[in-house]
């Protein structure tokens, strides 16, 4: 039994020594970090696809989803004009967003509630907020809605050029 206690002591010493090294490393890293008010210049992570025209700004009506498919026919989604500048929004008012409408939890088709301004899953009741970049605000999902990277041309055509999250049922967002 004496031997087991010695091994436990060695384990604790190794743990404490390792913890001290990690703490020292974190202190050094923090010393070289940018001030808290500095804005990160890192681009948002997304998977890029070939540019694909989805619609024209003139086809959108306020708070009414326009059904589209992106990046392919097996990925239903919508474009939505929200009426106020939002995260990831494009267009003259920065209020046009696009999302895949497959629930990232179990793949149920999402329904848009114009009254609540949310995407809702009938399967396990997850709720997603398009005004906050498709953030999940309720339910079983563990991932936000995949949001399209959009671009609006001078003539009002809306192009999708990527997706920021993994689309349900795919091992990767590669076509």
């Amino acid at each position: 039994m004496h031997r087991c206690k010695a091994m436990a002591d060695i384990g604790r010493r190794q743990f404490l020594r390792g913890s001290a090294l990690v703490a020292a490393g974190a202190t050094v890293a923090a010393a070289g970090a940018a001030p808290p008010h500095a804005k990160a210049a890192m681009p948002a992570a997304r998977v890029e696809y070939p540019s694909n025209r989805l619609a024209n700004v003139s086809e959108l009506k306020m708070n009414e989803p326009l059904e589209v498919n992106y990046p392919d026919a097996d990925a239903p989604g919508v474009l939505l004009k929200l009426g106020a500048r939002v995260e990831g929004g494009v267009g003259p008012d920065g209020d046009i967003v696009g999302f895949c409408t497959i629930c990232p939890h179990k793949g149920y088709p999402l329904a848009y509630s114009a009254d609540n301004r949310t995407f809702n899953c009938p399967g396990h009741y997850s709720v997603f907020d398009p005004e906050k970049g498709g953030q999940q605000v309720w339910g079983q999902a563990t991932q936000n809605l995949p949001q399209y990277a959009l671009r609006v041309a001078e003539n009002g055509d809306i192009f999708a050029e990527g997706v920021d999250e993994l689309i349900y049922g795919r091992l990767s967002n590669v076509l």
Side-chain angles (χ1 to χ4, degrees), residues 69-143:
N69 289 75
Y70 184 76
D72 55 38
D74 295 326
V78 296
L79 291 177
L80 191 57
K81 181 170 179 58
L82 294 168
R85 186 169 299 278
V86 294
E87 178 182 343
V90 298
D93 302 320
D95 66 341
I96 298 170
V97 292
F99 297 95
C100 178
T101 54
I102 302 171
C103 183
H105 176 236
K106 291 287 184 183
Y108 286 91
L110 299 174
Y112 182 71
S113 168
D115 293 338
N116 298 323
R117 297 174 75 94
T118 58
F119 288 102
N120 304 305
C121 179
H124 297 102
Y125 309 111
S126 290
V127 177
F128 304 90
D129 188 344
E131 294 176 322
K132 295 182 179 168
Q135 179 180 13
Q136 182 220 351
V137 293
W138 181 258
Q140 302 287 329
T142 58
Q143 174 183 317

Side-chain angles (χ1 to χ4, degrees), residues 61-72:
K61 294 183 176 130
M62 190 73 63
N63 203 29
E64 288 184 25
L66 176 68
E67 292 185 12
V68 296
N69 289 75
Y70 184 76
D72 55 38

